[in-house]
Amino acid sequence: AYIKKIMTQKPEVSQKEILEYYQDHAPRFALPERVRASHILFRVGSKAELDQVNKAKSLCETVKRRIDQGEDFAALARQFSQDTGTREQGGDLGFFDRNTKIKILTDTAFAMEPGQVAGPLRSSLGYHILKLTQKQIAHTPGVQKVQEKIRAELIQKKSLDTIKNKKGELAAKWGVGKF
């Protein structure tokens, strides 16, 4: 019951502690350059016949022309994409950095400007049409953006330290080994 009481007590964390932690650990909060893109995938397996490869590429080129003529990318992604994980979201891949996607998609996305569309792009999955929707430069968010995360970390650390200290006190008081 005593340990439970200690565990339920929430330690206080001051703004000064948050700021000091942020200053001491600022690189940990740094965000890399990131992009947000959408794609339309025309799947072609690695062992596909040449005829299948040509059909997928031809369809990809046709859909790309429709985009170039002004048709809505997201609507075409919902209609044609064979990526079941992104199709219903209009092909949205979300934000990613240089190390998180297929190389051809990453290299192309980081070379583009928002609103640009590229394709057909060949990957191990098939052919893609890629649209860059946003670019974020590398940055470190201000303390205001991460203070609740820091507060939670400091509360957890203080709670664990309190439990360790109380265990040590109880062990010394009762003359027993570690709990």
Side-chain angles (χ1 to χ4, degrees), residues 6 16 19 42 49 55 73 79 95-96 103 106 117 120 131 138 150-151 156:
I6 293 167
K16 182 181 178 197
L19 186 57
F42 302 87
E49 299 287 329
K55 281 182 183 177
F73 187 96
Q79 182 179 353
F95 279 100
F96 55 94
K103 185 169 175 30
T106 301
V117 178
K131 180 178 181 178
I150 293 171
R151 183 182 315 281
Q156 182 178 19

Side-chain angles (χ1 to χ4, degrees), residues 34 44 46-47 51 61 63 68 76 84 94-95 132 137 147 156-157 168 173:
R34 301 183 325 155
V44 178
S46 59
K47 297 178 182 171
D51 183 50
E61 290 168 342
V63 173
D68 291 343
L76 291 171
T84 57
F95 279 100
L132 186 70
I137 59 170
Q147 72 180 356
Q156 182 178 19
K157 182 185 180 321
K173 180 178 179 179

Side-chain angles (χ1 to χ4, degrees), residues 27-74:
R28 200 177 130 223
F29 300 105
L31 298 172
E33 177 185 23
R34 301 183 325 155
V35 293
R36 183 174 189 175
S38 297
H39 82 141
I40 302 172
L41 171 63
F42 302 87
R43 220 174 265 288
V44 178
S46 59
K47 297 178 182 171
E49 299 287 329
L50 183 58
D51 183 50
Q52 292 173 303
V53 172
N54 289 337
K55 281 182 183 177
K57 184 177 182 185
S58 177
L59 182 57
C60 183
E61 290 168 342
T62 300
V63 173
K64 171 72 164 59
R65 277 193 296 279
R66 289 174 63 177
I67 293 166
D68 291 343
Q69 293 168 358
E71 286 194 51
D72 183 60
F73 187 96

Side-chain angles (χ1 to χ4, degrees), residues 74-153:
L76 291 171
R78 283 189 282 279
Q79 182 179 353
F80 289 102
S81 185
Q82 295 172 334
D83 179 350
T84 57
T86 65
R87 179 176 52 222
E88 294 308 313
Q89 292 76 40
D92 186 11
L93 294 165
F95 279 100
F96 55 94
D97 63 34
R98 292 186 183 272
N99 302 314
T100 56
K101 295 284 177 199
I102 298 168
K103 185 169 175 30
I104 184 79
L105 298 182
T106 301
D107 290 349
T108 302
F110 277 90
M112 297 168 69
E113 292 301 320
Q116 285 186 310
V117 178
L121 303 169
R122 181 74 158 110
S123 79
S124 59
L125 299 176
Y127 287 96
H128 305 258
I129 300 171
L130 187 68
K131 180 178 181 178
L132 186 70
T133 53
Q134 279 183 283
K135 258 189 178 177
Q136 287 183 345
I137 59 170
H139 69 286
T140 301
V143 68
Q144 311 85 349
K145 297 271 188 191
V146 294
Q147 72 180 356
E148 289 311 311
K149 181 178 180 176
I150 293 171
R151 183 182 315 281
E153 286 182 30

Side-chain angles (χ1 to χ4, degrees), residues 3 163-179:
I3 296 287
I163 291 168
K164 285 178 187 174
N165 290 339
K166 292 297 180 187
K167 286 169 102 176
E169 286 174 22
L170 290 172
K173 180 178 179 179
W174 297 100
V176 293
K178 292 184 179 182
F179 285 82

